[in-house]
Amino acid sequence: MIIVTGGAGFLGSGLVWGLNAAGYDDILVVDNLGHGDKWKNLVNRRFADYLHKDAFLEAIAEAKDPFGATSVIHLGACSATTETDAEYLMRNNTAYTKAVARYALEAGARLVVASSAATYGDGSLGFDDDPGGLGALKPLNMYGYSKHLFDLWARREGLLGQLASLKFFNVYGPNEYHKADMRSVVCKAYAQIGKTGRLSLFKSSRADYPDGGQKRDFLYVKDAVAVMLWLLEHPEVGGVYNVGSGAARTWNDLAAAVFSAMGKALAVDYIPMPEAIRGKYQYFTEAKMDRLHAAGCANSFMTLEEGVADYVKGYLSQPDRYL
């Protein structure tokens, strides 16, 4: 039994896709489907059962090992960087992850959890995933802080070596359609370009970055899934690890890739950055991948152009195309 929390979400359903492709279907999907279209992410997937996240939490609180799980991949969380309900994030993200960790480790199951590059804050301290530097990080939003608190707790409890906590950078790709404003810019750009023929990007408010020159480490979801599958095959690998392409690219690069994949001429407008996010905006992110490589993960990643082309031509351009 493999448990995937957030298994109907973007990363979670992507992982179930990868597990199915590898021949696994004894999978328990844990999530909260609600009233949206997230359920569509599961239509093409094979799994043994589904359980609401609250029922799962109750089950692991009442019994030491109610599922007989061999692996637990905890991807479920509120991922909205704009969420302002700190109490909710402390309960839903931090406390829930602690409960899942206690259950998995007591059951002797392989544990992989999703952290985030948002834990790095403004990036002034770099993007080194050495756990020795965790205490110096200052996330810019409550989402990042809720993830950071779990990593600090795991280090304090001496558990980091028994689990893999993954600091995902900017992941994009199929099955994110339900995420509304939290969809990737690739997904939003495809819709905007299709409707207007143009794309809006934020202006820069820093002299050292031109408009659209802000940089991100963009990672295609299929590559993120491949890393998680590798970690499931190597339970001896534990600690905090960055998961990104390792190469920062500009928003202008991303725009050019989307227009090219759509077969359209580049047409970009630069608009003012909203005041609400101006002080919390990351101008540069780039995953330092040395530690994951040193652990033995030799996975290669698609370039931004390759990933965008696969996403646009293989999914976005085909209505209702899911992994």
Side-chain angles (χ1 to χ4, degrees):
M1 171 64 73
I2 299 173
I3 297 174
V4 182
T5 73
F10 173 35
L11 274 178
S13 62
L15 178 59
V16 176
W17 165 80
L19 288 168
N20 285 171
Y24 298 99
D25 58 13
D26 190 12
I27 302 166
L28 174 64
V29 170
V30 177
D31 213 306
N32 178 15
L33 293 177
H35 299 281
D37 287 338
K38 188 160 54 171
W39 64 271
K40 293 182 178 180
N41 289 343
L42 295 176
V43 172
N44 296 331
R45 305 280 51 87
R46 305 189 312 275
F47 54 96
D49 209 349
Y50 167 85
L51 199 60
H52 187 275
K53 67 173 189 175
D54 293 342
F56 176 72
L57 192 62
E58 291 174 6
I60 63 175
E62 292 172 357
K64 183 177 181 180
D65 187 11
F67 303 106
T70 55
S71 300
V72 179
I73 306 92
H74 178 51
L75 305 175
C78 171
S79 60
T81 57
T82 54
E83 176 59 62
T84 58
D85 188 340
E87 288 291 345
Y88 168 68
L89 290 171
M90 290 289 280
R91 181 176 67 255
N92 186 75
N93 289 9
T94 310
Y96 198 109
T97 307
K98 290 179 183 179
V100 172
R102 292 189 187 100
Y103 156 68
L105 296 177
E106 289 176 6
R110 171 55 160 161
L111 176 62
V112 177
V113 302
S115 185
S116 170
T119 59
Y120 287 115
D122 64 5
S124 60
L125 296 177
F127 300 92
D128 192 333
D129 51 7
D130 184 341
L134 283 174
L137 300 180
K138 297 185 184 303
L140 294 176
N141 55 55
M142 185 57 209
Y143 162 71
Y145 186 51
S146 72
K147 293 291 190 178
H148 183 52
L149 283 174
F150 173 77
D151 290 338
L152 291 174
W153 173 81
R155 186 181 69 168
R156 186 169 57 251
E157 296 294 315
L159 302 176
L160 281 182
Q162 302 175 51
L163 59 90
S165 180
L166 308 182
K167 290 178 181 272
F168 288 105
F169 279 65
N170 286 66
V171 186
Y172 66 96
N175 291 30
E176 64 172 321
Y177 318 124
H178 65 283
K179 290 174 65 68
D181 284 345
M182 291 297 109
R183 288 174 299 153
S184 72
V185 172
V186 179
C187 188
K188 293 178 180 179
Y190 179 83
Q192 186 179 12
I193 294 167
K195 184 177 182 179
T196 69
R198 307 186 66 82
L199 175 63
S200 297
L201 295 176
F202 289 143
K203 291 181 178 180
S204 171
S205 57
R206 287 176 47 172
D208 52 338
Y209 287 90
D211 292 340
Q214 307 95 320
K215 292 185 174 182
R216 288 284 190 282
D217 189 325
F218 300 105
L219 180 70
Y220 195 38
V221 67
K222 293 181 180 180
D223 291 330
V225 167
V227 170
M228 289 189 280
L229 292 176
W230 183 87
L231 285 164
L232 289 179
E233 294 171 356
H234 294 83
E236 75 281 2
V237 176
V240 177
Y241 294 101
N242 286 335
V243 182
S245 70
R249 301 291 300 276
T250 68
W251 292 112
N252 287 329
D253 291 335
L254 182 145
V258 176
F259 276 100
S260 175
M262 295 178 69
K264 295 181 178 293
L266 184 67
V268 175
D269 300 310
Y270 299 102
I271 62 175
M273 188 180 297
E275 193 67 38
I277 67 171
R278 194 167 297 176
K280 303 175 182 179
Y281 187 82
Q282 292 176 308
Y283 272 74
F284 177 89
T285 66
E286 185 175 79
K288 192 172 186 293
M289 297 296 292
D290 305 56
R291 293 186 66 255
L292 187 62
H293 294 326
C297 183
N299 292 20
S300 59
F301 301 116
M302 292 188 193
T303 65
L304 177 62
E305 288 76 13
E306 291 169 340
V308 168
D310 186 76
Y311 188 18
V312 169
K313 296 177 182 179
Y315 298 91
L316 291 174
S317 63
Q318 302 181 43
D320 296 321
R321 179 78 191 280
Y322 291 77
L323 286 174

